[in-house]
């Protein structure tokens, strides 16, 4: 069971290069109809230097860095007893095809509800680009039902 001593503990760190093909695939898979996400000429005409990263695509990229099984081991959580409880995003600047994004995830909070029956762990991922500029902060919470 996770406890407050884990707050601040780093769970993962790494970088991922944003590829045009993956951006186009994601846009099509999510039903994106705006050509700015699939056509470089349309993106440039809209004032972008290249294909922009759709907001939630950062979560997909982070899965290349964040290993859930390893994190659950550190957090002492049982995969069979957890649910994804919440997710939020704070955006600072756009990311584009060709950028190299750095992801660093740490435990932001640990708390209980229902008299300890539900254990929550909040993770925060800071995303920066190749120039070290902040791109976004991704927050997600897992909840584990205690036996």
């Amino acid at each position: 069971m996770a406890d407050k001593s884990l707050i601040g503990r780093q769970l993962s760190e790494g970088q991922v290069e944003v590829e045009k093909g993956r951006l186009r695939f994601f846009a099509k898979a999510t039903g994106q109809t705006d050509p700015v996400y699939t056509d470089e000429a349309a993106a440039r005409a809209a004032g972008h230097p290249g294909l922009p990263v759709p907001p939630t695509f950062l979560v997909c990229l982070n899965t290349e860095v964040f290993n859930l099984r390893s994190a659950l081991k550190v957090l002492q959580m049982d995969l069979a007893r957890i649910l994804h409880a919440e997710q939020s995003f704070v955006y600072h600047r756009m990311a584009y095809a060709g950028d190299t994004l750095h992801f660093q995830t740490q435990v932001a909070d640990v708390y209980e509800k229902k008299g300890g029956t539900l254990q929550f762990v909040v993770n925060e991922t800071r995303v920066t680009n190749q120039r070290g500029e902040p791109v976004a902060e991704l927050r997600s919470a897992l909840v584990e039902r205690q036996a």
Side-chain angles (χ1 to χ4, degrees), residues 18-109:
V18 181
E19 300 169 5
K20 293 178 197 177
R22 291 186 64 194
L23 289 177
R24 289 184 179 114
F25 180 81
F26 182 81
K28 289 177 183 175
T30 57
Q32 190 59 249
T33 58
D34 187 342
V36 76
Y37 292 107
T38 56
D39 181 336
E40 288 183 79
R44 285 193 175 83
H48 298 288
L51 294 179
V53 172
T56 57
F57 188 65
L58 294 173
V59 174
C60 296
L61 292 174
N62 189 39
T63 62
E64 293 188 27
V65 175
F66 185 82
N67 182 309
L68 180 61
R69 290 202 186 274
S70 295
L72 291 178
K73 185 178 268 187
V74 169
L75 299 171
Q76 299 174 1
M77 296 178 88
D78 179 1
L79 179 61
R81 303 177 79 77
I82 65 167
L83 291 172
H84 179 79
E86 178 180 323
Q87 191 150 352
S88 65
F89 306 88
V90 175
Y91 298 101
H92 301 289
R93 68 179 28 83
M94 294 290 296
Y96 296 95
D99 282 352
T100 299
L101 300 180
H102 182 260
F103 294 82
Q104 183 178 31
T105 300
Q106 66 182 32
V107 178
D109 198 8

Side-chain angles (χ1 to χ4, degrees), residues 1 78 81 115-119 144-147:
M1 170 179 11
D78 179 1
R81 303 177 79 77
T117 304
L118 299 176
Q119 178 84 33
E144 181 181 35
R145 181 179 48 83
Q146 301 300 304

